[in-house]
Amino acid sequence: MLCILWDIDGTLMSSQGAGTKAMNDAFQACFGIPDAFEDVAMSGCTDPWIFRQGYERHRISEAFPTAMEKFDREYRKALPGRLATSKITLKPGLPALLDVLSKRDDIGSGLLTGNFDHGAETKLRAAGIWHYFATGAYGSDDEDRNKLLPHALRRFRERGREFHPHRTIVIGDTTRDVACARAHGAKAVAVATGGHRMEELRACGPDLALQSLADPAPLMGFLERMMAEAVRV
């Protein structure tokens, strides 16, 4: 049994920055400050961490938990509208690869994303692929992305499927995706379809680095090798 945990933005889909625009909308609605995240490097970060950058840079006086709760409510309102007016595209090879994986009883597909849980669902529903993912871990679970993987495995366990970190693969497009896999002894597959170039991804030592998932053969071969190793053990 293998568990695959997918990042969303840059890995599964792109939405012309709808999430960033909605965050700016929400911050302005809450605190009257436009373009609050203009200089914040968001790639691979969790939504709570991103909000903290705006909160600290603009010296918001409200207590952080109260301010983030208010921001989250406004972001929840703003995101669907931004997605509705954005061009949403799936990354090469999708959704065909997700469809193949969904038919495998020996593989569980979930999410490991920095998005708030509601943001993840809203984005993936807009992209038409929400139904491929049984459960996952979200920025709502922890501001630190490196602490998310156990939340995903716990939710799979609550649904009756037991996966172990060393039988888990994190697929993402940033060095932070690789780091969060390494933090728990999981495997890391890096795809250069988002915020990082292939050279950057290879430098952080993923188990597999791919230009994209347009050709599913390298990833499927990697999964089969992991299956074979488990049989030998």
Side-chain angles (χ1 to χ4, degrees), residues 43 173-175 190-204 206 209-211:
S43 184
D173 66 293
T174 75
T175 57
V191 289
T193 52
H196 287 66
R197 300 189 306 274
M198 180 65 85
E199 294 77 13
E200 295 175 279
L201 295 173
R202 283 180 174 150
C204 68
L210 301 170
Q211 194 64 50

Side-chain angles (χ1 to χ4, degrees), residues 17-29 33 36-37 42 46-48 50-51 71 75 78-79 82 114-116 123:
T20 300
K21 294 170 185 174
M23 283 190 158
N24 280 318
D25 293 342
F27 204 95
Q28 184 168 3
I33 299 170
F37 303 102
M42 298 184 178
T46 66
D47 285 353
I50 292 167
F51 172 70
F71 170 80
Y75 178 62
L79 183 59
R82 284 295 188 177
N115 282 275
F116 290 124
K123 288 180 179 181

